[in-house]
Amino acid sequence: KLNFGEEEVIYLKSCLRRKEKISQEPKVVLNTFHTIKGDEQDNVMLFLEMGMKAYEALERGSDEEHRNFYVAITRTKKELHLVEAEKWGYPID
């Protein structure tokens, strides 16, 4: 017996209504750049929001966030989309 949550049930019903094969490859894949190191995608959308821990490391002069940004932007084969946060909690210069 399978136990699906409410969101999974809504998704599956939606697929059935649209007559989509549930086993087909997803059209959109969400990952962090930490999990896709070495993997490339045709289209990459990078959200430029920064958490407190990352901001504090950047303020201390750590180069790790610059390296992370470089890895994130170099995963793109065709199109890179940079998305700014509506409100910055921590400014980036």
Side-chain angles (χ1 to χ4, degrees):
K1 181 179 178 182
L2 298 173
N3 291 321
F4 292 110
E6 184 179 346
E7 288 183 16
E8 289 88 359
V9 170
I10 292 170
Y11 169 74
L12 292 170
K13 285 181 179 179
S14 173
C15 288
L16 292 172
R17 265 195 320 276
R18 293 190 310 265
K19 296 183 177 19
E20 288 183 24
K21 293 180 182 175
I22 295 172
S23 62
Q24 75 187 39
E25 289 293 316
K27 294 177 183 176
V28 175
V29 177
L30 300 177
N31 282 311
T32 65
F33 61 86
H34 296 290
T35 61
I36 61 166
K37 288 182 182 175
D39 190 19
E40 294 179 327
Q41 298 296 325
D42 286 340
N43 301 294
V44 173
M45 182 175 287
L46 180 61
F47 293 88
L48 299 176
E49 196 161 10
M50 180 180 284
M52 176 68 129
K53 187 176 177 182
Y55 179 72
E56 288 174 347
L58 192 62
E59 285 289 296
R60 287 192 306 272
S62 171
D63 199 36
E64 183 178 352
E65 292 310 312
H66 291 110
R67 287 192 303 273
N68 287 338
F69 184 74
Y70 176 80
V71 168
I73 64 173
T74 58
R75 301 302 95 185
T76 305
K77 290 182 184 177
K78 294 181 181 177
E79 291 188 33
L80 172 65
H81 303 272
L82 302 176
V83 180
E84 287 191 74
E86 193 171 306
K87 291 183 180 181
W88 287 102
Y90 311 100
I92 298 178
D93 294 326

